[in-house]
């Protein structure tokens, strides 16, 4: 007998695959040096690291050289491979990596997309070695839930206290954090963007490729603070996490 939860999980994966396959098929690759995360990434880079980025799409944050990029999108992987990156198809809940193999892992804008957050966090913990760094970003505050969250396939927003507790449960300690995100502040801009992506996707992607460089040029400098920032009024947070030597969760090594 089919498990309804398994079927629902497969549907979620397929929904995400369809949305992002279409998105990345029409988008241009943005190199990691263009993002305001690059100074932080550069500071954390070290020789002989095993570096992994999960679900980068065409907006990778880690160096294209010597990083393994894992995504469900064939289009994204093909574009990354075309510029010399190493790629593998997979998803956050089942990563094609040996346990304890990653020294530096990125998971930007992905944890909130997965229904099984414990399974995903356990998998991130499984593939990282003790002492490894994980960079991640997630949206904050359930009360800020909007049509854009629904449109892009989010399953949740996090309260800062619950986020810290959930990461700690899976063996990750938040060392630093910062305000993050490129989402438009105007609800009208978001609504217009969603309409165009739904009804005139080709034209929408033309505008996306035109204005993406402009939005990147206006990114504020990341201001990192120890631990978790005061999340009042913050839509999205970037986290610098460290994998503990021994996790408290039963599903992690």
């Amino acid at each position: 007998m089919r498990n309804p939860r398994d079927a629902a999980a497969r549907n979620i994966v397929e929904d995400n695959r369809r949305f992002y396959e279409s998105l990345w098929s029409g988008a241009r690759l943005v190199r990691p040096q263009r993002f305001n995360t690059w100074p932080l990434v550069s500071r954390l880079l070290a020789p002989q690291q095993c570096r992994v980025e999960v679900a980068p799409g065409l907006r990778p944050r880690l160096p294209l050289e010597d990083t393994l990029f894992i995504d469900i999108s064939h289009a994204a992987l093909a574009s990354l491979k075309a510029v010399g990156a190493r790629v593998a198809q997979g998803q956050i809940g089942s990563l094609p990596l040996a346990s304890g193999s990653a020294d530096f892992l990125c998971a930007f804008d992905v944890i909130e997309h997965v229904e099984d957050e414990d399974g995903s966090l356990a998998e991130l913990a499984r593939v990282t070695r003790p002492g490894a760094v994980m960079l991640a970003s997630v949206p904050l505050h359930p009360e800020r839930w909007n049509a854009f969250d629904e449109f892009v396939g989010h399953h949740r927003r996090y309260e800062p206290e619950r986020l810290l507790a959930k990461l700690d449960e899976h063996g990750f300690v938040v060392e630093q954090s910062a305000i993050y995100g490129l989402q438009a502040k105007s609800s009208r801009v978001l609504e217009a963007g969603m309409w165009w992506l739904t009804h005139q996707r080709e034209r929408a992607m033309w505008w996306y490729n035109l204005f993406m460089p402009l939005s990147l040029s206006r990114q504020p400098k990341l201001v990192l603070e120890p631990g978790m920032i005061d999340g009042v009024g913050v839509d999205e947070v970037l986290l610098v996490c460290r994998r503990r030597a021994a996790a408290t969760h039963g599903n992690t090594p």
Side-chain angles (χ1 to χ4, degrees):
M1 183 175 179
R2 292 183 64 186
N3 187 326
R5 293 184 63 183
D6 290 343
R10 284 193 295 271
N11 289 338
I12 290 163
V13 169
E14 288 306 314
D15 287 346
N16 275 307
R17 190 193 305 275
R18 279 192 293 270
F19 180 86
Y20 287 99
E21 191 71 33
S22 178
L23 178 68
W24 301 133
S25 293
R28 296 173 187 161
L29 173 68
V30 180
R31 291 181 177 267
Q33 292 85 349
R34 301 292 305 276
F35 292 98
N36 62 354
T37 49
W38 184 247
L40 170 63
V41 167
S42 299
R43 176 170 60 83
L44 294 171
L45 292 177
Q48 306 302 315
Q49 282 178 324
C50 175
R51 297 194 292 264
V52 179
E53 186 161 355
V54 180
L58 292 180
R59 294 165 63 173
R61 303 314 199 273
L62 291 187
L64 296 176
E65 305 79 16
D66 301 319
T67 298
L68 175 64
F69 297 96
I70 301 173
D71 206 291
I72 62 174
S73 167
H74 291 285
L77 295 178
S79 294
L80 288 165
K81 188 176 181 179
V83 294
R86 292 191 300 127
V87 302
Q89 189 167 37
Q91 54 186 294
I92 190 173
S94 181
L95 297 171
L97 295 168
S99 297
S101 58
D103 301 296
F104 191 173
L105 186 145
C106 276
F108 281 82
D109 302 315
V110 59
I111 299 170
E112 67 273 15
H113 286 267
V114 185
E115 186 174 34
D116 182 7
E117 64 174 334
D118 282 312
S120 298
L121 289 169
E123 184 69 350
L124 295 175
R126 180 188 70 80
V127 303
T128 48
R129 67 165 181 81
V133 171
M134 180 176 75
L135 299 185
S137 65
V138 296
L140 295 181
H141 307 305
E143 67 273 15
R144 294 174 71 94
W145 186 270
N146 56 44
F148 181 78
D149 292 293
E150 296 277 357
F151 185 72
V152 298
H154 288 174
H155 278 275
R156 69 192 67 82
R157 283 175 170 263
Y158 284 92
E159 287 297 353
E161 295 80 8
R162 182 179 181 276
L163 176 60
L164 284 171
K166 187 58 68 174
L167 288 166
D168 179 71
E169 182 181 347
H170 288 274
F172 290 104
V173 178
V174 176
E175 293 187 336
Q176 293 179 294
S177 60
I179 298 172
Y180 184 67
L182 284 171
Q183 182 174 313
K185 297 183 183 301
S186 168
S187 61
R188 290 186 177 182
V189 171
L190 285 175
E191 289 168 4
M194 289 186 291
W195 188 92
W196 280 96
L197 280 169
T198 302
H199 297 89
Q200 297 285 341
R201 180 172 289 270
E202 185 174 341
R203 189 64 175 170
M205 293 312 301
W206 187 87
W207 285 107
Y208 173 88
N209 289 319
L210 179 67
F211 283 104
M212 185 64 176
L214 177 62
S215 65
L216 290 173
S217 69
R218 302 178 66 180
Q219 293 174 101
K221 181 179 178 180
L222 283 179
V223 180
L224 290 158
E225 298 181 19
M228 177 63 77
I229 60 173
D230 180 355
V232 175
V234 175
D235 189 72
E236 187 173 6
V237 64
L238 177 144
L239 306 164
V240 183
C241 305
R242 183 79 59 176
R243 177 76 160 87
R244 282 203 311 267
T248 57
H249 193 275
N251 292 334
T252 54

